[in-house]
């Protein structure tokens, strides 16, 4: 049985000093004590080293702008057997790390996602108010590639989100976040979901732990909510185009996912229809992103033509402390 693991908490940030200080202060209150905090300052205009020194966090700079570059830099610099990620504008509950660590007692678990509770921001800031936004928290679950529709479930947000996730460090020997995607790139979403799909495609299991909770701000004003919605819809449609192009063996599954989503909207149970603005601009975003990728190297683990056919396994995930 694995001993109590040392965890590296990676917080990627850029020029949000006040929010970062709030995030790091919350992490100091964790009931789980065997962890380090590693702040990755991503191409900052206002470096946050002084805040990190004062609050006991390790500090590195990733000079190449982009969230995925920062996440990958954090994985390379991490010292822990487990690597947990949260956002710089998130506030972790005091039992967050303890709940994540408990899931990894199962040696077949390769990664864990947790719950994100959204609270309305004050005005146009990222400061959270006490008013909770609409939240649909996921139940406890395990995910692997043995079930039908596993790819779209992982790649389209059904497993978890990047603001609350943890991985065994050994996974980064083979996997990394795709730096063609994510905040700071033209196609600004989906990097964590593609990572989940990559991990599952190699036979690993991901667990969702609802007790591992972080709080996160959501748009507080109607104008900010509308802008956030259009931005999210545009990125989601562009990301669907990316998946269609990059993963041809899963096109049938992608079509079924889209048809189910349309069916839910027609029945009135699937939320709002995407705005016309988002639908028209998403293909432009995708083609702009393709131009941006001309000099990017595709991550070695993203081999859908081969890995999509790999059978699931139940092997133990070997760690240094095992």
């Amino acid at each position: 049985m694995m001993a109590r693991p040392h965890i590296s908490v990676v917080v990627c940030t850029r020029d949000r000093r006040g929010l970062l200080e709030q995030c790091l202060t919350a992490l100091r209150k964790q009931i789980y004590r065997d962890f380090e905090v590693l702040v990755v300052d991503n191409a900052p205009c206002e470096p946050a080293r002084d805040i990190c020194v004062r609050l006991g966090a390790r500090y590195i700079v990733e000079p190449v702008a982009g969230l995925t570059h920062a996440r990958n830099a954090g994985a390379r610099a991490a010292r822990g057997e487990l690597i947990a990620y949260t956002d710089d504008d998130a506030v972790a509950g005091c039992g967050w790390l303890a709940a994540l660590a408990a899931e990894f007692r199962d040696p077949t678990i390769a990664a864990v996602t947790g719950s994100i509770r959204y609270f309305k921001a004050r005005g146009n800031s990222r400061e959270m108010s006490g008013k909770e936004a609409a939240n649909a928290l996921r139940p406890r679950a395990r995910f692997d590639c043995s079930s039908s529709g596993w790819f779209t479930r992982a790649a389209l947000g059904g497993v978890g989100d990047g603001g609350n996730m943890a991985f065994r460090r050994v996974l980064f020997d083979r996997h990394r976040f795709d730096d063609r995607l994510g905040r700071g790139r033209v196609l600004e979403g989906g990097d964590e979901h593609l990572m989940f799909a990559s991990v599952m495609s190699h036979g690993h299991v991901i667990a969702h732990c609802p007790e591992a909770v972080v709080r996160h701000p959501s748009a507080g004003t109607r104008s900010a909510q509308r802008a956030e919605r259009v931005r999210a819809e545009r990125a989601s449609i562009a990301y669907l185009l990316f998946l269609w192009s990059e993963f041809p063996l899963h096109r049938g599954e992608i079509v079924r996912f889209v048809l189910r989503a349309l069916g839910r909207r027609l029945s009135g149970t699937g939320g709002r229809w995407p705005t016309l603005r988002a639908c028209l601009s998403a293909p432009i975003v995708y083609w702009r992103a393709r131009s941006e990728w001309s000099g990017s190297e595709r991550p070695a683990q993203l081999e859908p033509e081969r890995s999509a056919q790999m059978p699931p396994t139940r092997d133990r995930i070997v760690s240094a402390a095992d």
Side-chain angles (χ1 to χ4, degrees):
M1 183 175 179
M2 189 177 75
R4 184 180 180 92
H6 183 63
I7 303 176
S8 292
V9 179
V10 176
V11 181
C12 302
T13 190
R14 186 181 188 187
D15 299 334
R16 300 206 288 194
R17 291 170 56 87
L19 292 170
L20 176 64
E21 183 166 0
Q22 176 183 255
C23 173
L24 298 183
T25 299
L27 289 172
R28 288 169 65 89
K29 300 175 183 177
Q30 294 295 300
I31 60 175
Y32 190 92
R33 304 310 304 170
D34 194 0
F35 72 99
E36 66 165 356
V37 178
L38 173 61
V39 171
V40 184
D41 212 348
N42 189 209
C45 296
E46 298 182 72
R49 180 184 294 276
D50 58 316
I51 296 173
C52 297
V53 169
R54 176 159 48 84
L55 293 175
R58 289 176 59 207
Y59 176 86
I60 64 172
V61 173
E62 169 51 55
V64 181
L67 179 57
T68 47
H69 287 290
R71 284 175 170 168
N72 287 326
R76 291 192 297 270
R79 298 167 178 165
E81 300 144 48
L82 307 177
I83 303 175
Y85 289 88
T86 193
D87 294 339
D88 63 353
D89 56 353
V91 176
C94 62
W96 175 58
L97 285 180
L100 290 177
E103 297 296 320
F104 284 104
R105 292 173 186 164
D106 181 342
T108 67
I109 298 296
V112 179
T113 63
S115 298
I116 299 179
R117 293 181 60 193
Y118 289 95
F119 287 77
K120 290 187 177 180
R122 300 183 191 278
N124 291 319
S125 73
R126 299 298 291 174
E127 180 185 349
M128 280 181 283
S129 69
K131 187 174 182 180
E132 192 162 0
N135 282 303
L137 300 180
R138 295 181 175 91
R140 176 174 296 278
R142 289 169 60 100
F143 307 98
D144 61 38
C145 64
S146 64
S147 59
S148 175
W150 70 268
F151 177 80
T152 49
R153 180 184 292 273
L156 292 167
V159 172
D161 295 296
N164 190 351
M165 59 184 178
F167 303 87
R168 294 191 189 271
R169 184 181 178 183
V170 293
L171 288 178
F172 288 93
D173 293 341
R174 186 171 190 176
H175 304 267
R176 67 177 174 86
F177 295 99
D178 190 328
D179 59 23
R180 295 174 295 175
L181 309 175
R183 289 297 176 96
R185 305 291 281 179
V186 171
L187 212 171
E188 60 178 9
D191 54 301
E192 69 267 38
H193 305 307
L194 199 58
M195 180 69 157
F196 298 147
S198 176
V199 168
M200 288 170 61
S201 77
H202 287 85
H204 300 311
V205 178
I206 300 177
H208 177 73
C209 175
E211 294 81 17
V213 179
V214 301
R215 293 186 290 124
H216 196 282
S218 67
T221 64
R222 288 191 177 183
S223 60
Q225 290 167 4
R226 284 194 297 270
E228 190 173 89
R229 179 189 167 202
V230 171
R231 180 177 180 176
E233 290 170 347
R234 181 173 58 233
S236 296
I237 297 170
Y239 177 58
L240 271 173
L241 295 173
F242 165 82
L243 294 178
W244 179 268
S245 174
E246 295 291 310
F247 296 88
L249 287 183
H250 293 288
R251 284 177 179 171
E253 191 177 331
I254 293 169
V255 169
R256 289 190 292 273
F257 175 90
V258 171
L259 291 176
R260 287 194 300 270
L262 291 174
R264 288 193 297 270
R265 282 169 170 76
L266 287 171
S267 67
T269 61
R272 300 177 178 178
W273 291 89
T275 62
L276 179 62
R277 180 180 173 187
C279 292
L280 293 176
S281 58
I284 298 172
V285 169
Y286 173 65
W287 287 109
R288 283 180 55 211
R290 288 184 64 90
S291 299
E292 184 186 47
W293 301 336
S294 59
S296 297
E297 178 186 355
R298 179 174 172 166
Q301 85 276 12
L302 296 177
E303 301 175 6
E305 297 293 342
R306 179 175 61 84
S307 64
Q309 303 176 51
M310 292 180 64
T313 68
R314 292 294 181 273
D315 294 340
R316 290 166 58 89
I317 310 300
V318 179
S319 73
D322 212 7

